[in-house]
Amino acid sequence: MNQTAQTDPTGNEPQGRPRAGTDLRTVRSNPDYWYPVAWSRELKAGKTIGTRYAGTPIALVRPEDGGSVFALEDRCAHRQVPLSKGVVNGSAVKCCYHGWAYGRSGRCIDVPYLGKGKLPNGVRTFPCREQSGMIFIFPGDPDKAETTPLPPALAQTANPGYKTRYFGRTVGCHYSFMHENLMDMNHQFMHSKQMGQMKPRFLGQKREAGLVEARYSFARTGGKQPIGEALIFGERRDASEKFQHRDVMTIRTEYPYQTLRIQKGDDDPVMDLWIVYVPQSADELTNRTFGLLSVKRPGVPFVLDLAWPFLVAFTNRIFAEDREIVELEQKAWRELGGDHNVEVFPVINALRDLLVECGLPPAQPDA
Amino acid sequence: MNQTAQTDPTGNEPQGRPRAGTDLRTVRSNPDYWYPVAWSRELKAGKTIGTRYAGTPIALVRPEDGGSVFALEDRCAHRQVPLSKGVVNGSAVKCCYHGWAYGRSGRCIDVPYLGKGKLPNGVRTFPCREQSGMIFIFPGDPDKAETTPLPPALAQTANPGYKTRYFGRTVGCHYSFMHENLMDMNHQFMHSKQMGQMKPRFLGQKREAGLVEARYSFARTGGKQPIGEALIFGERRDASEKFQHRDVMTIRTEYPYQTLRIQKGDDDPVMDLWIVYVPQSADELTNRTFGLLSVKRPGVPFVLDLAWPFLVAFTNRIFAEDREIVELEQKAWRELGGDHNVEVFPVINALRDLLVECGLPPAQPDA
Amino acid sequence: MNQTAQTDPTGNEPQGRPRAGTDLRTVRSNPDYWYPVAWSRELKAGKTIGTRYAGTPIALVRPEDGGSVFALEDRCAHRQVPLSKGVVNGSAVKCCYHGWAYGRSGRCIDVPYLGKGKLPNGVRTFPCREQSGMIFIFPGDPDKAETTPLPPALAQTANPGYKTRYFGRTVGCHYSFMHENLMDMNHQFMHSKQMGQMKPRFLGQKREAGLVEARYSFARTGGKQPIGEALIFGERRDASEKFQHRDVMTIRTEYPYQTLRIQKGDDDPVMDLWIVYVPQSADELTNRTFGLLSVKRPGVPFVLDLAWPFLVAFTNRIFAEDREIVELEQKAWRELGGDHNVEVFPVINALRDLLVECGLPPAQPDA
């Protein structure tokens, strides 16, 4: 592959081009990163739940005794049925079918009808970590887990000056469509029913190893400011000149995560989003979204808390529109048998290059 | 292929034969004809809707200014999402996602965030025509559209002496099953719950270039005349001799359309049906039916209008039985991996030959 | 294949092993046996119903005149639509579509619009027999039907000292999972919510041509005896010593059928189950279960009849758990692309060998 990052700050190039080489929608996500696979609140002490990463079933187990969560391949070594259908006993999980038991190490530690000296092999384990209300696993090479960083604070979850929404859903498309959707703010056109007419101005981009960033400002050209937006900005705005192009929105894909921040001048962001799209099926054409949306609290206490349902409903409507369109993109890809995207926006081409470079090549058909 | 038209007027041949050569259910419909893809009433001014022909998605656009409908391939050149999800502005359609705009010519005439001098390529267009309450496109070679006739009046839609039912539905089978179903009137056996026992007599057939025709008369051998039939014939009939074999039913496939007319003597038809089966999926194993059923008005005004709901209910029951059986034929074809039809009725073999000759050979697997 | 029957009575072997050679889940059931395909009560006189064996559709016809049921391939020779949608006339069945008629021999005996001298070929027939409330067919070589035995009494259906439940359902898995599920009583662990904790003791096994048998006794280690079990044993039992390991449960696969009997001492069984898993789809990855569950009547008359609904509800809950787990096994097989069962229990390995030996090798892809 011969892929060069686009750095033309005008945001324009003469004519769109289909990307040569690998079809981006067949690029597999790189497993050598930490990926959330469940919300912490989903898993009570003494319970197990089943989840997925790119077709691999994963059982998460939270011991009865308050020990940390651990992650096993979610197939009993005996008959491959999900261990997450089983029973947690102390810090071990027993398969629901014939009672084979496994500990944190994945070793089989008991088969009720077999002597202890001749136990069969166990199951695969995954490094596991809990942070910011999510349970993460490291699906790749376990030796890299320790040295692979995961920022200790995601969005502003650790900052009392913010209120955070934890949201997620399963979306029927390759994760790359999600990254493109969020970074290309020209798609504000699609949200005009929710947002009114917003004209984006592209301010520039940054391309570094493992990272692409786009910056925008906006002008309202029609419609009224929605309440949801007023809550985020902490103020009512009309269409007058003084509010035009006043804030900077920075969207960054720092592989494999994505962030979106809105800043008024040099202040702390008024909104800070952290989001990741975790492949579900083996073909990676579905993903589960884990998002943290932190909104800065205004001076008056509890205002944001009282208004929160409006903000939730507003963002849900936006997400529903985004979800519909990326699923339509995926459907077109299936019907056409490949990626026919003709991209004219350089920062999106830079993002596409990044996702190809950081991901894994398509699986071989006979693999 | 070595296929000869059958012209034996007795309607019988010694032993059924499976057809040599091409499997009829894999023959693609010939795109060099006009096909209806929507009802006129489905598309309001200033709106766009999505439809299909044999796997090709089509956006129909009716301009705001009262201009004629036009048809584009229903995939934005940018990200292949349906243009029919977009917004009509004057006589252009804007993609719902990033606002790329296309005119009647299919050219891309605006990308909101790109200079006018460097617009990307547009999308494919289809010749489009509106007639008899339907919107037709010409999916094949556009140069042939002008010289390919479409009769100006279909069924008796232009004749005030008739009332016409416009009906349609999607049926899960290859269009050839539909043609065979209607032309083989021995299948009256299937409708005996609705129609009573009707014994068909085959009167003869005609085979010309692009055309097969079958003629029948009928005798009632049991059951009562249904109200629906009485409405069509404009008279109550018992099972007495004088009504036996009195009328002639003529069924014609004039590729790709089909008609069915019932005549008492030399009068105008009491019923005149025009129907076509438009392939929906790329494998053409589903079709959308567009039918015009014209019934002659009796001498007394409004009688037919008042009784119309009975006629609608009656024909719906007939259609439901036909639909079930052709979908069972398609299911058997799938399970058996091919066409095992053993046809003993010469006119149906002639029809099968016609559909193979006029259609396109099966798509190559690697095409 | 090099498969040896396991006869180690301890029930243990050092380490589980994946089975070499054929994947058991691709072994086709042997058609040279009698298989039930319907309950007698499903088919009234003068009616026909459609059923299946391993992808082959079968029409069962019960003549109007009280003659015995017969079985035809459920595809009209003409257009392959199901004969079971047709009409029974005397002892013939007429296809619903164009009225072609077939007799018990499968010959086409009438085409209403064709001379009698030139009738087309008919359809395949299957030897058919009715017994113990079920309609059986012999899907294999018809010449073997006469000499292939089917025990005249199944379970205790012919014994007035027992009451029999006739039950069945479709389960989404290969029949081999069903045999393994029933024979491996270590899976009592899965039913502990319904049954309380029951510890099985393996007493030994038998391996003969076409037969594998396992014997167990049980001790209650926790929980209360469920009412359903008390009904079967005809007595209330606590967890005291005198009830531990008192009865013998014998589970036998006598290809292709399975039985389970519970005996107190040398008495007649208190429970006698006969069950078979009939493949439905052509890939045999679904089956329809036909089961006869005979329970010995206690001394007091009508007690069992009054309590029957409890027993039905109890067994339904057990079956639901079994069904869920075998379908999860099948799901894992699909996802992993093959059988990864690591079996440590010798009698189950003997059973697996039996099913491979008695079944048919996998169909060739191009067959």
Side-chain angles (χ1 to χ4, degrees):
Chain A
M1 278 173 298
N2 180 10
Q3 288 166 334
T4 331
Q6 306 295 322
T7 49
D8 172 2
T10 70
N12 284 346
E13 60 183 3
Q15 168 65 283
R17 59 183 164 112
R19 310 299 294 170
T22 309
D23 185 326
L24 175 56
R25 316 313 176 186
T26 64
V27 171
R28 291 175 297 153
S29 68
N30 191 330
D32 286 337
Y33 288 90
W34 290 98
Y35 289 92
V37 289
W39 299 105
S40 294
R41 63 171 182 265
E42 293 179 86
L43 183 58
K44 307 292 176 208
K47 297 289 177 189
T48 170
I49 55 170
T51 180
R52 297 231 146 202
Y53 170 83
T56 302
I58 293 153
L60 299 176
V61 181
R62 195 186 294 278
E64 282 180 309
D65 53 16
S68 66
V69 176
F70 61 90
L72 307 176
E73 186 176 359
D74 196 13
R75 301 193 192 284
C76 180
H78 180 210
R79 297 191 145 262
Q80 292 73 54
V81 296
L83 291 173
S84 58
K85 296 270 172 189
V87 175
V88 177
N89 240 216
S91 60
V93 60
K94 297 180 84 163
C95 178
C96 72
Y97 200 178
H98 301 88
W100 293 28
Y102 303 85
R104 177 183 295 274
S105 68
R107 276 202 309 117
C108 179
I109 56 179
D110 187 38
V111 173
Y113 49 98
L114 206 66
K116 296 286 179 196
K118 28 187 169 176
L119 288 170
N121 291 329
V123 296
R124 188 179 163 199
T125 63
F126 301 91
C128 188
R129 190 181 284 188
E130 201 164 0
Q131 187 181 310
S132 301
M134 293 175 286
I135 301 169
F136 289 79
I137 65 152
F138 195 90
D141 177 358
D143 291 343
K144 297 182 181 165
E146 276 308 306
T147 56
T148 302
L150 179 65
L154 304 172
Q156 302 287 335
T157 47
N159 186 340
Y162 289 77
K163 184 172 173 73
T164 298
R165 179 173 180 207
Y166 299 78
F167 66 92
R169 69 211 62 211
T170 298
V171 183
C173 74
H174 191 253
Y175 59 88
S176 59
F177 290 111
M178 308 293 284
H179 281 271
E180 293 170 345
N181 171 268
L182 190 66
M183 193 169 283
D184 188 346
M185 273 296 139
N186 297 304
H187 92 272
Q188 285 291 349
F189 179 71
M190 189 175 69
H191 299 308
S192 51
K193 252 184 216 152
Q194 310 304 331
M195 305 275 283
Q197 281 82 56
M198 298 294 283
K199 194 172 169 54
R201 179 186 293 167
F202 184 67
L203 303 179
Q205 69 182 69
K206 188 156 77 179
R207 173 75 156 98
E208 294 172 2
L211 181 155
V212 168
E213 185 186 280
R215 291 182 307 283
Y216 299 88
S217 65
F218 293 89
R220 176 169 299 281
T221 62
K224 273 182 56 182
Q225 186 194 35
I227 294 177
E229 199 202 272
L231 287 167
I232 289 166
F233 283 105
E235 64 187 4
R236 273 282 178 199
R237 291 175 170 192
D238 54 27
S240 64
E241 194 61 36
K242 63 176 174 176
F243 293 120
Q244 311 293 46
H245 298 295
R246 216 180 65 170
D247 322 300
V248 174
M249 178 189 285
T250 305
I251 300 153
R252 178 184 283 199
T253 291
E254 198 164 352
Y255 192 89
Y257 316 114
Q258 206 167 27
T259 56
L260 182 155
R261 284 191 189 90
I262 305 175
Q263 277 174 294
K264 300 201 281 189
D266 291 333
D267 287 352
D268 289 338
V270 291
M271 189 183 113
D272 190 346
L273 169 74
W274 180 94
I275 193 163
V276 63
Y277 320 105
V278 183
Q280 295 295 289
S281 49
D283 61 12
E284 307 204 11
L285 299 183
T286 54
N287 72 83
R288 184 175 170 192
T289 295
F290 289 83
L292 309 177
L293 177 71
S294 298
V295 176
K296 199 174 182 190
R297 290 179 179 281
V300 188
F302 302 117
V303 164
L304 191 59
D305 303 275
L306 285 166
W308 200 244
F310 292 96
L311 194 127
V312 167
F314 171 69
T315 50
N316 279 354
R317 286 194 300 268
I318 299 282
F319 297 154
E321 290 179 343
D322 286 327
R323 177 187 183 153
E324 185 188 7
I325 202 73
V326 292
E327 292 186 342
L328 285 168
E329 289 194 273
Q330 185 67 66
K331 182 164 176 269
W333 182 88
R334 285 187 204 268
E335 288 188 6
L336 294 170
D339 187 16
H340 285 60
N341 179 205
V342 173
E343 196 46 66
V344 298
F345 192 24
V347 73
I348 299 302
N349 279 324
L351 172 63
R352 292 167 59 91
D353 291 342
L354 176 81
L355 294 172
V356 171
E357 286 165 23
C358 293
L360 259 53
Q364 294 309 310
D366 46 331
Chain B
M1 279 172 296
N2 180 10
Q3 287 166 337
T4 330
Q6 306 295 322
T7 50
D8 172 1
T10 69
N12 284 348
E13 61 182 1
Q15 169 64 285
R17 58 184 165 110
R19 311 298 294 170
T22 309
D23 185 326
L24 175 56
R25 317 313 174 186
T26 63
V27 171
R28 290 175 296 153
S29 67
N30 191 330
D32 286 337
Y33 289 89
W34 289 97
Y35 290 92
V37 289
W39 299 106
S40 293
R41 63 171 183 264
E42 292 180 86
L43 183 57
K44 307 292 178 210
K47 297 289 178 190
T48 171
I49 55 170
T51 179
R52 296 231 147 202
Y53 170 83
T56 303
I58 293 154
L60 299 176
V61 181
R62 196 186 291 280
E64 282 180 311
D65 53 17
S68 65
V69 175
F70 61 91
L72 307 175
E73 186 176 0
D74 197 12
R75 302 192 191 284
C76 181
H78 180 209
R79 296 191 146 261
Q80 293 72 56
V81 295
L83 292 173
S84 58
K85 297 269 174 190
V87 176
V88 177
N89 240 217
S91 60
V93 59
K94 298 180 83 163
C95 178
C96 72
Y97 200 178
H98 301 87
W100 293 29
Y102 302 86
R104 177 183 295 273
S105 68
R107 275 200 311 116
C108 179
I109 55 179
D110 187 38
V111 172
Y113 49 98
L114 206 65
K116 296 285 177 195
K118 28 189 170 175
L119 289 169
N121 291 328
V123 296
R124 188 179 163 198
T125 63
F126 301 91
C128 188
R129 191 181 283 188
E130 200 164 1
Q131 188 181 310
S132 301
M134 293 176 286
I135 300 170
F136 290 79
I137 64 151
F138 196 90
D141 177 357
D143 291 342
K144 296 182 182 166
E146 276 307 307
T147 57
T148 301
L150 180 64
L154 304 172
Q156 302 287 338
T157 47
N159 185 340
Y162 288 77
K163 184 172 172 74
T164 297
R165 178 172 182 209
Y166 299 78
F167 67 92
R169 66 212 64 210
T170 298
V171 184
C173 74
H174 191 254
Y175 60 90
S176 59
F177 290 111
M178 307 294 284
H179 282 270
E180 293 169 344
N181 171 268
L182 190 65
M183 193 169 283
D184 190 344
M185 272 295 138
N186 298 303
H187 92 272
Q188 285 291 349
F189 179 72
M190 189 174 69
H191 298 310
S192 52
K193 252 184 215 150
Q194 310 305 331
M195 305 276 283
Q197 282 84 57
M198 298 294 283
K199 194 171 169 53
R201 178 186 292 165
F202 183 65
L203 303 179
Q205 70 182 69
K206 188 156 78 180
R207 173 73 157 97
E208 294 171 3
L211 182 157
V212 169
E213 184 186 282
R215 291 181 308 282
Y216 299 88
S217 66
F218 293 89
R220 176 169 299 281
T221 61
K224 273 181 56 181
Q225 186 194 34
I227 295 176
E229 199 202 272
L231 287 167
I232 289 166
F233 284 104
E235 64 186 4
R236 272 281 174 203
R237 291 175 170 191
D238 55 28
S240 64
E241 193 62 34
K242 63 173 173 177
F243 294 121
Q244 310 293 47
H245 298 296
R246 218 181 63 170
D247 320 301
V248 174
M249 178 189 283
T250 305
I251 300 153
R252 179 185 281 198
T253 291
E254 198 163 352
Y255 192 88
Y257 315 114
Q258 205 166 28
T259 56
L260 182 155
R261 284 190 189 91
I262 305 175
Q263 278 174 294
K264 301 201 281 190
D266 292 333
D267 288 353
D268 289 339
V270 291
M271 190 183 112
D272 190 347
L273 170 74
W274 180 94
I275 193 163
V276 63
Y277 320 106
V278 183
Q280 296 294 290
S281 49
D283 61 12
E284 307 204 11
L285 298 183
T286 54
N287 72 82
R288 184 175 171 193
T289 295
F290 288 83
L292 308 177
L293 178 72
S294 298
V295 177
K296 200 173 179 191
R297 291 179 180 280
V300 189
F302 303 118
V303 165
L304 191 60
D305 303 275
L306 286 166
W308 200 245
F310 292 96
L311 194 127
V312 166
F314 172 68
T315 50
N316 278 354
R317 287 194 299 269
I318 299 282
F319 296 154
E321 289 179 343
D322 285 326
R323 177 186 182 153
E324 185 188 7
I325 202 74
V326 291
E327 292 186 342
L328 284 168
E329 288 194 273
Q330 184 68 67
K331 182 165 177 268
W333 182 88
R334 284 187 205 269
E335 287 187 7
L336 294 169
D339 187 16
H340 285 58
N341 178 205
V342 173
E343 196 48 66
V344 298
F345 192 23
V347 72
I348 298 301
N349 279 324
L351 172 64
R352 292 168 59 90
D353 291 342
L354 176 81
L355 293 172
V356 172
E357 287 165 23
C358 293
L360 259 53
Q364 295 307 310
D366 46 331
Chain C
M1 276 170 299
N2 180 11
Q3 288 168 334
T4 329
Q6 306 294 321
T7 51
D8 173 1
T10 69
N12 283 348
E13 59 182 3
Q15 169 64 284
R17 57 181 165 114
R19 311 297 295 170
T22 308
D23 185 325
L24 175 56
R25 316 312 176 187
T26 64
V27 171
R28 290 174 298 153
S29 68
N30 191 330
D32 286 337
Y33 289 90
W34 290 97
Y35 289 92
V37 290
W39 299 106
S40 294
R41 62 169 183 266
E42 292 179 86
L43 182 57
K44 307 294 178 208
K47 296 290 179 190
T48 172
I49 55 169
T51 180
R52 296 232 147 203
Y53 170 82
T56 302
I58 292 153
L60 299 176
V61 180
R62 195 186 293 279
E64 283 180 309
D65 53 17
S68 65
V69 175
F70 61 90
L72 307 176
E73 186 176 358
D74 197 13
R75 301 193 192 283
C76 181
H78 180 209
R79 296 191 146 261
Q80 293 72 56
V81 294
L83 292 174
S84 58
K85 296 271 173 189
V87 175
V88 178
N89 239 215
S91 60
V93 60
K94 296 180 84 164
C95 178
C96 73
Y97 200 178
H98 301 89
W100 293 29
Y102 302 85
R104 178 184 294 276
S105 67
R107 275 201 310 116
C108 179
I109 56 179
D110 187 37
V111 173
Y113 49 98
L114 206 63
K116 296 284 178 197
K118 29 187 170 176
L119 289 169
N121 291 327
V123 297
R124 188 179 163 198
T125 63
F126 301 91
C128 189
R129 193 181 282 187
E130 201 164 359
Q131 188 181 310
S132 301
M134 293 176 285
I135 300 169
F136 289 79
I137 64 152
F138 195 90
D141 177 357
D143 291 342
K144 297 182 181 165
E146 276 308 306
T147 57
T148 301
L150 179 65
L154 305 171
Q156 302 288 336
T157 48
N159 186 340
Y162 287 77
K163 184 173 172 72
T164 298
R165 177 172 183 209
Y166 299 78
F167 67 93
R169 67 211 64 209
T170 297
V171 183
C173 74
H174 191 254
Y175 59 89
S176 59
F177 290 112
M178 307 293 286
H179 282 270
E180 294 170 344
N181 171 268
L182 190 66
M183 193 168 282
D184 190 344
M185 273 296 138
N186 297 304
H187 93 272
Q188 286 291 350
F189 179 72
M190 189 175 68
H191 298 309
S192 51
K193 252 183 216 152
Q194 309 304 331
M195 305 276 283
Q197 282 83 57
M198 298 294 284
K199 196 174 167 51
R201 178 187 294 167
F202 183 67
L203 303 179
Q205 70 183 70
K206 188 155 79 181
R207 173 72 157 100
E208 295 172 3
L211 183 155
V212 168
E213 185 186 280
R215 291 181 307 283
Y216 299 88
S217 65
F218 293 90
R220 177 169 298 282
T221 61
K224 273 182 56 180
Q225 186 194 34
I227 295 177
E229 198 201 272
L231 287 167
I232 289 166
F233 284 105
E235 64 187 5
R236 272 282 175 200
R237 292 175 169 191
D238 55 26
S240 64
E241 194 62 35
K242 63 175 173 176
F243 294 120
Q244 312 292 46
H245 298 295
R246 216 181 64 168
D247 321 300
V248 175
M249 178 188 285
T250 306
I251 300 153
R252 178 184 282 197
T253 291
E254 198 165 352
Y255 192 88
Y257 316 114
Q258 205 166 28
T259 56
L260 183 156
R261 285 191 188 90
I262 306 175
Q263 279 173 293
K264 300 201 284 191
D266 291 333
D267 288 352
D268 289 338
V270 292
M271 189 183 112
D272 190 345
L273 169 73
W274 180 93
I275 193 163
V276 63
Y277 319 105
V278 184
Q280 295 295 290
S281 50
D283 62 11
E284 307 204 12
L285 299 183
T286 55
N287 72 83
R288 184 175 169 191
T289 295
F290 289 83
L292 308 177
L293 177 71
S294 298
V295 177
K296 200 174 181 191
R297 289 178 180 282
V300 188
F302 304 117
V303 165
L304 191 59
D305 303 276
L306 285 166
W308 200 245
F310 292 97
L311 193 127
V312 167
F314 172 68
T315 50
N316 279 353
R317 287 194 299 269
I318 300 282
F319 297 153
E321 289 179 344
D322 286 326
R323 177 186 184 154
E324 184 187 8
I325 203 74
V326 291
E327 291 186 342
L328 285 168
E329 287 194 274
Q330 184 67 66
K331 182 165 177 269
W333 182 87
R334 284 186 204 269
E335 287 187 6
L336 294 169
D339 187 17
H340 286 60
N341 178 206
V342 173
E343 195 47 66
V344 299
F345 192 24
V347 73
I348 298 301
N349 279 324
L351 172 63
R352 291 168 60 90
D353 291 343
L354 176 80
L355 293 173
V356 171
E357 286 166 24
C358 293
L360 258 53
Q364 295 308 310
D366 47 330

